Amino acid sequence: MSTSAVPSPKTTEVAAPKVPAYRTDLDGLRGIAIALVACFHIWFGRVSGGVDVFLTLSGYFFIGSLVRHTIHSQSSKIGLGETINPSPRMERLFRRLLPALYTLLIGVAILTVVVIAQTRWQNIGNEILASALYYQNYFLAGNSQDYLAASSVNSPLQHLWSMSMQGQFFLGALVVLHLLAGTIKYLGRRFDGLTRPAAIRAIFGIVVGGVALASFIWAQYRSGIDQPYNYYDTLSRLWEPLVGGLLAIWMPAFRVSNRIRGAVTIIALLLIATCGWWIDGVAHYPAALAWVPVGATLMVIWSGQVADNQPLPSPNRALASKRAVWLGSLSYSLYLIHWPLLIFYLTWRQVDHANFVEGAAILIVSLGLSWLMKRYIEDPMRGGGRSAMAHVRWRAHPRLTYTAAVTVVLVIASLTTAGLIKAWDQHVETTRVDTTNLDPALYPGARALLENAQAPALPPQPTPLGAQSDLPQTFFDGVMSEFDVTTPQVGHYGDPNGTWTIALAGGSHTEMWLGALDPIGKANGFQIVTYVKRGCALTTDVNPPYLERNPYPECAEWNDAVMKDLLRIKPDAVVTNSTRPSISGPGDYMPEGYRHTFDKLTSAGIPVVGIRDSPWPHNDEGPITTPDCLSAGGNAKSCGTVRDSALSSVDPALAYAADNPLFHPIDLSDGICTPTFCPAVVGNIMVYRDIHHLTQTYIRTLIQDFSRQLTAALPWTGPPLTTG
């Protein structure tokens, strides 16, 4: 693809060597990149670096095209038309990207209903809309969804973050560079030198290079602060396509032998092929280590940029082979299709990994579907290609072409899908069951374990759909601090006129106990203030591995602020969690950062009530999302957990309590588990609302046991409440 300038009549610049109008070796590089992406997704559960190759190539082609068109629009002068008006190029961009994407989204919507549990429909529906409108990367980042290896619990649209990022880049680059071209045209009326090819390249290069440098610095900075968000962030990723664009603006024209160029290509291909093994892309991209696949891609682009009378180096000729180019031509469709096909298969089979034979079958089917997508969707909608059907007209409607018909069908289907998603969201809202007044004789919940209460055969409450919204009141009141918040948001519950005060402080596993503590406070005349933050336990540890995010500096800042406030107001007690699941094995433990926090509070004369964390559902295959498991046909046992795999035989907080008289442990495990097993449903009530949080419905059935243990620790909170 030529990057040379057309000389102006007013300049003596020498044009760069001419090169082929189309780089088929880069199509072959696309083929290698998509093969790596698909294979690593299917078999190895790692990031390959193939996406970074795509991003770099996208910038090289897209920005290069914009710059060349600006220079060649009218000799050395910037002309009107597409140079200033981006509409024609935007139309081509939409025709190239949207039809295949929307076809995939329609297919995903259909397969979601057929294969995936109803409890996941709402979230996948939201991701369909996010993908269709090209903000899927920020939807995933905002929902704190790390880019995880493929399994049955993954979203079938997780991979579309990169499509959204590229779409944002294309649109932003198109607008900014066309505005820049318009500015050059306007100023060129007074300063003729600005419209010379060299000046145009210099201006575009300075702007693109400056933004790329700022983006890279931002990516490097954010990698140490919030890497899960950084991975998806367009601002952090921009430098990858922009450095490709820089190479299109300025291509080094060194006179180098083909032997050296070939060696450069081989080294680059080895780096691209192997970097997925020795770089953890999820943990390090798009910061400095992303230069490995990005830099290797730039090396391949440069090594194949030869003059007309010079043959391509042998490795580049291999990339330009028929099979490699054919695979590269399918790269867009294959990228779209392979991941959801893998996720739907794993979900249907109820497994988390595909073996070699299954993976090979998924690849073959993906290739076949990709060819069909390209043949009947991509090529016709782009305005031709090899497909003769692009211009087929029906006799009854002579103006209705194949392209127009497919467009109409996709638009109607997309609108219908969006409408169904909205209707499903409304259905989920209306299917919420008020479980606050369930008949305790029919729905004894924890009493079935604690008191051997009998439960008749009834469908459990809440329903799997309703469980998703069975949340603590703090969520609805907006006093649960989100991940990026460092200033405590204080909620007020219990008896507002109470003379005693309990501070409920910690993460979501502390927050969920408000469902028991609030009614106890109202009945016994003490007030409750809440300091709760998502994924952030009350700890002195900075970025410990047990937190939901790592690193998580906002948690440390929030903890410092909460501790200062607690020491200032001196509540009559602090209630928080005292244990967590063990990181390296079965059972649970008390982290050292918890101990130091308890030491600080009790040293100030503030009693601490430590609630043992509830068991986190899991089996040999991994974590269990209870509503999904039950919705997919599971039961209390198949969706449950062996007790000693989640809980140690003795509450780990007891040893600390023996040395600190102001620390009072509470253990509600016997109200959640039998001596050997923790069922998913107890006393006709679903125990968990997600992967490890108890439903508020179930917590309300633990009020009596909670109140009894709380009164034993803090007599002023009694007398114990009773239920039934």
Side-chain angles (χ1 to χ4, degrees), residues 34 98 145 209 224 240 274 303 334 366 368 411 421 424 448 486 495:
I34 187 56
L98 297 186
Q145 296 187 33
E240 298 187 58
T274 63
S303 64
L334 185 54
S366 297
V411 169
I421 292 167
W424 179 253
T486 58
D495 182 354

Side-chain angles (χ1 to χ4, degrees), residues 211-376:
V211 177
L213 179 60
S215 171
F216 176 74
I217 292 172
W218 178 252
Q220 190 69 26
Y221 167 70
R222 290 292 295 174
S223 67
I225 295 178
D226 191 352
Q227 175 57 19
Y229 192 97
N230 193 50
Y231 187 87
Y232 295 115
D233 188 7
T234 298
L235 297 179
S236 299
R237 288 276 179 178
L238 270 179
W239 71 270
E240 298 187 58
L242 288 178
V243 295
L246 273 178
L247 195 62
I249 294 171
W250 181 77
M251 176 71 70
F254 305 130
R255 294 184 179 276
V256 178
S257 69
N258 268 15
R259 182 174 297 177
I260 294 177
R261 289 178 179 269
V264 168
T265 300
I266 291 173
I267 293 171
L269 292 177
L270 286 173
L271 289 173
I272 291 171
T274 63
C275 66
W277 293 113
W278 48 277
I279 299 177
D280 183 356
V282 173
H284 294 102
Y285 293 169
L289 284 176
W291 269 110
V292 174
V294 171
T297 304
L298 298 178
M299 291 163 64
V300 174
I301 295 173
W302 172 80
S303 64
Q305 194 84 338
V306 296
D308 282 343
N309 59 356
Q310 185 179 4
L312 280 172
S314 297
N316 294 76
R317 287 202 301 272
L319 287 176
S321 66
K322 185 175 181 180
R323 290 182 179 179
V325 171
W326 175 80
L327 185 59
S329 71
L330 298 180
S331 60
Y332 180 50
S333 290
L334 185 54
Y335 184 85
L336 293 178
I337 289 170
H338 82 280
W339 176 268
L341 192 64
L342 171 62
I343 299 304
F344 283 123
Y345 175 78
L346 296 177
T347 304
W348 173 64
R349 291 273 290 116
Q350 297 184 357
V351 296
D352 286 334
H353 307 286
N355 60 35
F356 178 79
V357 174
E358 292 170 326
I362 290 169
L363 271 181
I364 292 171
V365 173
S366 297
L367 281 169
L369 293 175
S370 300
W371 181 85
L372 291 172
M373 177 88 86
K374 184 178 186 299
R375 178 70 172 80
Y376 294 105

Side-chain angles (χ1 to χ4, degrees), residues 43 51 90 104 123 136 190 276 326 353 357 410 451 490 517 549 571 614 656 676 683 694:
W43 285 304
V51 167
M90 287 179 67
L104 174 84
N123 190 66
Q136 169 75 331
R190 297 185 60 185
W326 175 80
H353 307 286
V357 174
L410 286 176
E451 303 172 13
V490 182
L517 194 58
R549 287 189 169 194
S614 53
Y656 178 79
T676 59
L694 300 177

Side-chain angles (χ1 to χ4, degrees), residues 669-721:
S669 304
D670 288 343
I672 301 172
C673 308
T674 71
T676 59
F677 195 74
C678 306
V681 177
V682 175
N684 288 336
I685 294 181
M686 190 184 302
V687 180
Y688 296 90
R689 63 175 169 84
D690 55 19
I691 200 166
H692 46 57
H693 295 93
L694 300 177
T695 64
Q696 291 297 285
T697 305
Y698 196 79
I699 280 180
R700 283 192 290 270
T701 70
L702 285 163
I703 289 176
Q704 182 177 0
D705 194 33
F706 191 109
S707 181
R708 177 183 61 79
Q709 296 191 48
L710 185 65
T711 302
L714 307 171
W716 51 265
T717 62
L721 298 189

